[in-house]
Amino acid sequence: AIRRFTIEQDDNIFICGLGTIGIFILMFLIEAGFKNIFVAGNKGFQKEMIIKLIILNIIHLMYIYYI
C-alpha cells in the first residue's frame, strides 16, 4: 500500500533502498522536477548508476553507500 501525502519542490526527500521500487520512485521524482533527493543503497551497481546520472548532470543527488 502507498500512503498519500503532499511534498513541495524544495523539500528534502530520502529514498531508502534502490531496488525496483526505489528506482521507480527516484525516476518519478526526477521527472517531477524534485532536486533535493537523497538515496541509500547497498549494491555496487546502484552506486555506479547514481554516479553516472550525477556526471551527466541529469540529477543532483547525494548517494549514501553502505555494506
Side-chain angles (χ1 to χ4, degrees), residues 3-66:
R3 294 191 175 119
R4 294 182 183 207
F5 54 90
T6 303
I7 54 176
E8 303 295 328
Q9 290 287 330
D10 59 344
D11 287 345
N12 291 325
I13 302 165
F14 179 76
I15 301 172
C16 185
L18 287 175
T20 304
I21 295 171
I23 293 292
F24 172 76
I25 292 170
L26 173 63
M27 294 308 204
F28 176 80
L29 292 171
I30 292 168
E31 184 66 27
F34 289 90
K35 301 291 182 196
N36 301 324
I37 306 169
F38 300 86
V39 297
N42 64 349
K43 307 279 188 300
F45 73 89
Q46 297 170 346
K47 183 178 181 179
E48 292 172 14
M49 178 192 63
I50 296 301
I51 290 172
K52 286 178 186 176
L53 293 173
I54 291 170
I55 290 172
L56 294 172
N57 283 330
I58 294 172
I59 55 174
H60 173 71
L61 294 176
M62 176 183 176
Y63 183 83
I64 303 168
Y65 184 72
Y66 59 90

